[in-house]
Amino acid sequence: MSLAKEFTKGLWEIVPPFRLVLGLCPTLAVTTSAENGMGMGLATTFVLVCSNLLVSLLRKVIPSKVRIAAYVVIIASFVVIVELMMQAYVFPLYQALGIFIPLIVVNCIILGRAEAFAGKNSPLPSIADGLGVGIGYTISLTVLGAFREILGNGTIWSHGLFWDGFEPFTFMVRAPGAFVALGCFLAMINLVSAKLDDRKRRAQS
Amino acid sequence: MRDIIKMLVVLTVICAVSGFSLALVHDVTREPIEYSRLKFVKEPAVKAVLSGYQNDPIKDRLVIPVGTDKKGKPVKLIVFPAKKDGKTFAVAFESAAGGYHGDIGVMVGVDINSKKLSGISIVSHTETPGLGARIIEPNFTDSFKGKSLDKDLGVSDISALSGATFSTKGVVTAVNKARATLDKYRDKMVQ
């Protein structure tokens, strides 16, 4: 498999959280605005790429019986690094994301990629895989955040969009709105991929 | 047996390396974290009570040791100086006193030369919403502006809140405490 393929599969084929339905907790909780979604996505991407690289480098050293423990230590270290860096240089974002930064540790995407990919492949493809999945996740969260922000707050990237009398649909930035938005996107993605599959099958026959 | 030893060694090494690198990152980021905490948590209050400065009061902050608390831990007072042409003309620092329910934290801005209040801002409180919580409103805090700290303030000097006597008194007491602090540490605040 080529590096490009490893990278692009994270953008469509297994894009989290729509295809690889993992990491739902931060998806639902922080996507109240496009900015928050993107911040969370980038933090996750950083941790994912670093942990994928390290896990892949150490894959022959780590005994398989204790691999999960080793992965968790590696992931947790990178999460703490991200947390400290965010506090130091982008404090408002840190305040907005709050508890969900430390909780990247238990984000199943990262452990999932370490276990399913990085633990079995060499460093370069692992980085490509991490980048692809991470960027896919970032885009998904940003789009989801933008969707909820536009409807629920009437703004995008904190810029007003609508006329003065616009009454925002605040339901969308609350917790239930997260489920509704996620459901709509899942349905849309499933519809599109069903169409694509159909076309492919017809082309073959 | 060899398996177990290998597991032990590998896990120990990974944890040790992780601990070491985290300590390193923690060390490097300690200063910027302290700065951004003050910047985003305290700066709005500092900006509300000081004006006309050309420096960054957060960056130029002074830390003055002011004795010890009940448990013997040293207490530090953080002073934010407002400078014009390199000279401190006003300072802001926090003071606290008991209100109706818990302590009220007040950021107090004082002009050094005239000893007049350049403004106060409530940083933290747990007063009753709708009653005591009105101490955060500009109507109330603005009435402290320009008051001289030559002597202790009384409730009659400012526009007290009706129905919230304890909260009003708490803020006044905090300002009077700030007066005592200023008298005691004035030389250290103006360097």
Side-chain angles (χ1 to χ4, degrees), chain A residues 58 60-63 65-66 69-70 73-74 77 80-81 84-85 87-89 91-92, chain B residues 3 6-7 10-11 14-15 18-19 21-22 25-26 28-29 32-33 36-37 40-41:
Chain A
L58 296 174
K60 286 183 182 132
V61 187
I62 298 172
K65 278 180 192 158
V66 291
V73 172
I74 292 171
S77 310
V80 176
I81 290 176
L84 289 173
M85 291 288 178
Q87 271 188 68
Y89 303 109
F91 198 74
Chain B
D3 267 10
K6 195 186 172 197
M7 279 185 225
V10 169
L11 264 188
I14 290 179
C15 290
S18 138
S21 42
L22 286 187
V25 175
H26 178 80
V28 172
T29 52
I33 287 178
S36 45
R37 272 192 187 283
F40 290 101
V41 179

Coordinates of all heavy atoms in Angstrom, one line a residue, chain A residues 58 60-63 65-66 69-70 73-74 77 80-81 84-85 87-89 91-92, chain B residues 3 6-7 10-11 14-15 18-19 21-22 25-26 28-29 32-33 36-37 40-41:
Chain A
L58 N 8.4 1.4 18.4 CA 8.6 0.4 19.5 C 7.9 -0.9 19.3 O 7.9 -1.7 20.3 CB 8.1 1.1 20.8 CG 8.9 2.3 21.3 CD1 8.2 3.0 22.5 CD2 10.3 2.0 21.6
K60 N 8.4 -3.6 17.9 CA 9.1 -4.9 18.1 C 9.7 -5.0 19.5 O 10.1 -6.1 19.9 CB 10.2 -5.0 17.1 CG 9.7 -5.3 15.7 CD 10.7 -5.4 14.6 CE 10.0 -5.7 13.3 NZ 10.6 -4.8 12.2
V61 N 9.7 -3.9 20.3 CA 10.3 -4.0 21.6 C 9.2 -4.3 22.6 O 9.5 -5.0 23.6 CB 10.9 -2.6 21.9 CG1 11.7 -2.7 23.3 CG2 11.9 -2.2 20.8
I62 N 8.0 -3.8 22.4 CA 7.0 -3.9 23.4 C 6.4 -5.4 23.3 O 5.9 -5.8 22.3 CB 5.8 -2.9 23.1 CG1 6.3 -1.5 23.3 CG2 4.7 -3.2 24.1 CD1 5.3 -0.4 22.9
P63 N 6.5 -6.1 24.5 CA 5.9 -7.5 24.5 C 4.4 -7.4 24.3 O 3.8 -6.5 24.9 CB 6.3 -8.0 25.9 CG 7.2 -7.0 26.5 CD 7.0 -5.7 25.7
K65 N 2.0 -8.9 25.5 CA 1.1 -9.0 26.7 C 0.9 -7.6 27.4 O -0.2 -7.5 28.0 CB 1.7 -10.0 27.7 CG 1.3 -11.4 27.3 CD 1.9 -12.3 28.3 CE 1.9 -13.8 27.9 NZ 2.9 -14.6 28.6
V66 N 1.8 -6.8 27.3 CA 1.7 -5.5 28.0 C 1.5 -4.3 27.0 O 1.7 -3.2 27.3 CB 2.8 -5.2 28.9 CG1 2.8 -6.1 30.1 CG2 4.1 -5.2 28.2
A69 N -1.0 -1.4 27.9 CA -0.5 -0.6 29.0 C 0.6 0.4 28.4 O 0.6 1.6 28.7 CB 0.1 -1.4 30.1
A70 N 1.5 -0.1 27.6 CA 2.5 0.7 27.0 C 1.9 1.8 26.1 O 2.3 3.0 26.2 CB 3.5 -0.1 26.2
V73 N 0.4 4.6 28.3 CA 1.4 5.5 28.8 C 1.9 6.5 27.8 O 2.0 7.7 28.0 CB 2.6 4.7 29.4 CG1 3.7 5.6 29.8 CG2 2.2 3.9 30.6
I74 N 2.2 6.0 26.6 CA 2.6 6.8 25.5 C 1.6 7.9 25.1 O 1.9 9.1 25.1 CB 3.0 6.0 24.2 CG1 4.2 5.1 24.5 CG2 3.2 6.9 23.0 CD1 4.4 4.0 23.4
S77 N 1.2 10.5 27.9 CA 2.2 11.5 27.9 C 2.0 12.6 26.9 O 2.2 13.8 27.2 CB 3.6 10.9 27.6 OG 3.7 9.7 28.4
V80 N -0.7 15.0 27.9 CA -0.3 16.0 28.9 C 0.5 17.1 28.3 O 0.4 18.3 28.6 CB 0.5 15.3 30.1 CG1 1.0 16.4 31.1 CG2 -0.4 14.4 30.8
I81 N 1.4 16.7 27.3 CA 2.2 17.7 26.6 C 1.2 18.7 25.9 O 1.4 19.9 26.0 CB 3.1 17.1 25.6 CG1 4.2 16.3 26.4 CG2 3.7 18.1 24.7 CD1 5.2 15.5 25.5
L84 N -0.5 21.1 28.4 CA 0.4 22.1 29.0 C 0.7 23.2 27.9 O 0.6 24.4 28.2 CB 1.8 21.5 29.4 CG 1.7 20.7 30.7 CD1 3.0 20.0 30.9 CD2 1.3 21.5 31.9
M85 N 0.9 22.7 26.7 CA 1.2 23.7 25.6 C 0.0 24.6 25.4 O 0.1 25.8 25.2 CB 1.5 23.0 24.3 CG 2.8 22.2 24.3 SD 4.1 23.4 24.2 CE 5.5 22.3 24.3
Q87 N -2.4 25.4 27.5 CA -2.5 26.4 28.6 C -1.5 27.5 28.4 O -1.8 28.7 28.8 CB -2.2 25.7 29.9 CG -3.4 25.0 30.6 CD -3.0 24.5 31.9 OE1 -2.7 25.3 32.8 NE2 -3.0 23.2 32.1
A88 N -0.3 27.2 27.9 CA 0.7 28.2 27.9 C 0.4 29.2 26.7 O 0.7 30.4 26.8 CB 2.1 27.6 27.7
Y89 N 0.0 28.7 25.6 CA -0.1 29.5 24.4 C -1.4 29.8 23.8 O -1.6 30.8 23.1 CB 0.9 28.9 23.3 CG 2.3 28.8 23.8 CD1 2.8 27.5 24.1 CD2 3.0 29.9 24.1 CE1 4.1 27.4 24.6 CE2 4.3 29.7 24.6 CZ 4.8 28.5 24.9 OH 6.1 28.4 25.4
F91 N -4.6 29.9 25.7 CA -5.4 29.7 26.9 C -7.0 29.8 26.7 O -7.7 29.0 27.3 CB -5.0 30.8 28.0 CG -5.5 30.4 29.3 CD1 -4.8 29.4 30.1 CD2 -6.6 31.1 29.9 CE1 -5.3 29.1 31.3 CE2 -7.0 30.7 31.2 CZ -6.3 29.7 31.9
P92 N -7.5 30.7 25.8 CA -8.9 30.7 25.6 C -9.5 29.4 25.1 O -10.5 28.9 25.5 CB -9.2 31.9 24.6 CG -8.0 32.7 24.8 CD -6.8 31.8 25.1
Chain B
D3 N 10.3 -13.7 29.8 CA 9.1 -12.8 29.4 C 8.8 -11.8 30.4 O 8.6 -10.6 30.0 CB 7.9 -13.7 29.1 CG 7.9 -14.1 27.6 OD1 8.9 -13.9 27.0 OD2 6.9 -14.7 27.2
K6 N 11.3 -9.1 30.7 CA 11.3 -8.2 29.5 C 10.1 -7.2 29.7 O 10.3 -6.0 29.4 CB 11.1 -9.0 28.2 CG 11.5 -8.1 27.0 CD 11.2 -8.8 25.7 CE 11.3 -7.9 24.6 NZ 10.7 -8.3 23.3
M7 N 9.0 -7.7 30.0 CA 7.8 -6.8 30.2 C 8.1 -5.8 31.2 O 7.9 -4.6 31.0 CB 6.6 -7.6 30.8 CG 5.9 -8.4 29.7 SD 4.5 -9.1 30.6 CE 4.5 -10.8 30.0
V10 N 10.7 -3.2 29.8 CA 10.2 -2.3 28.8 C 9.2 -1.3 29.4 O 9.3 -0.1 29.1 CB 9.5 -3.2 27.7 CG1 8.7 -2.3 26.8 CG2 10.5 -4.0 26.9
L11 N 8.3 -1.8 30.2 CA 7.3 -0.8 30.8 C 8.0 0.2 31.7 O 7.6 1.4 31.6 CB 6.3 -1.6 31.6 CG 5.0 -2.0 30.9 CD1 4.0 -2.5 31.9 CD2 4.4 -0.7 30.2
I14 N 9.7 2.8 29.5 CA 8.7 3.7 28.8 C 8.2 4.7 29.8 O 8.2 5.9 29.5 CB 7.6 2.9 28.2 CG1 8.1 2.1 27.0 CG2 6.4 3.8 27.8 CD1 7.0 1.2 26.3
C15 N 7.8 4.2 31.0 CA 7.3 5.1 32.0 C 8.3 6.1 32.4 O 8.0 7.3 32.6 CB 6.8 4.3 33.2 SG 5.3 3.4 32.8
S18 N 8.8 8.7 29.8 CA 7.6 9.6 29.7 C 7.7 10.6 30.9 O 7.4 11.7 30.7 CB 6.4 8.7 29.8 OG 5.4 9.2 30.6
G19 N 8.0 10.1 32.1 CA 8.0 10.9 33.2 C 9.0 12.0 33.1 O 8.8 13.2 33.3
S21 N 10.3 13.3 30.3 CA 10.0 14.3 29.3 C 8.9 15.2 29.7 O 8.8 16.4 29.4 CB 9.7 13.6 27.9 OG 8.9 12.5 28.1
L22 N 7.9 14.6 30.5 CA 6.8 15.5 31.0 C 7.4 16.5 32.0 O 7.0 17.7 32.0 CB 5.8 14.6 31.7 CG 4.9 13.8 30.7 CD1 3.7 13.2 31.5 CD2 4.3 14.7 29.7
V25 N 8.8 19.3 29.9 CA 7.8 20.2 29.3 C 7.2 21.0 30.3 O 6.9 22.2 30.1 CB 6.7 19.3 28.6 CG1 5.6 20.2 28.0 CG2 7.3 18.6 27.4
H26 N 6.9 20.5 31.5 CA 6.3 21.2 32.6 C 7.1 22.4 33.0 O 6.7 23.5 33.2 CB 6.1 20.3 33.8 CG 5.5 21.0 35.0 ND1 4.2 21.2 35.1 CD2 6.1 21.5 36.1 CE1 4.0 21.8 36.2 NE2 5.1 22.0 36.8
V28 N 9.4 23.9 31.1 CA 9.5 24.9 30.1 C 8.2 25.8 30.0 O 8.3 27.0 29.8 CB 9.7 24.2 28.7 CG1 9.6 25.2 27.6 CG2 11.1 23.5 28.7
T29 N 7.1 25.1 30.2 CA 5.8 25.9 30.1 C 5.3 26.6 31.4 O 4.3 27.2 31.3 CB 4.7 24.9 29.6 OG1 4.6 23.8 30.5 CG2 4.9 24.5 28.2
P32 N 5.1 30.6 30.9 CA 4.0 31.1 30.0 C 2.6 30.7 30.6 O 1.7 31.5 30.4 CB 4.2 30.3 28.7 CG 5.6 29.7 28.8 CD 6.1 29.8 30.2
I33 N 2.5 29.6 31.2 CA 1.2 29.2 31.8 C 0.7 30.2 32.9 O -0.4 30.7 32.9 CB 1.2 27.8 32.3 CG1 1.2 26.8 31.2 CG2 0.0 27.5 33.2 CD1 1.3 25.3 31.7
S36 N -0.3 33.4 31.1 CA -1.6 33.4 30.4 C -2.8 33.2 31.4 O -3.8 33.7 31.1 CB -1.7 32.4 29.3 OG -1.2 31.1 29.7
R37 N -2.5 32.5 32.5 CA -3.6 32.4 33.5 C -3.9 33.8 34.0 O -5.1 34.2 34.0 CB -3.2 31.6 34.7 CG -3.4 30.1 34.5 CD -3.3 29.3 35.7 NE -3.4 27.9 35.4 CZ -4.5 27.3 35.2 NH1 -5.7 28.0 35.3 NH2 -4.6 26.1 34.9
F40 N -5.6 36.1 31.1 CA -7.0 35.9 30.7 C -8.0 35.9 31.9 O -9.1 36.1 31.8 CB -7.2 34.6 29.9 CG -6.6 34.7 28.6 CD1 -5.3 34.2 28.3 CD2 -7.2 35.4 27.6 CE1 -4.7 34.3 27.1 CE2 -6.6 35.5 26.4 CZ -5.4 35.0 26.1
V41 N -7.5 35.6 33.1 CA -8.4 35.6 34.3 C -8.4 36.9 35.0 O -9.4 37.4 35.3 CB -7.9 34.5 35.3 CG1 -8.9 34.4 36.5 CG2 -8.0 33.1 34.5

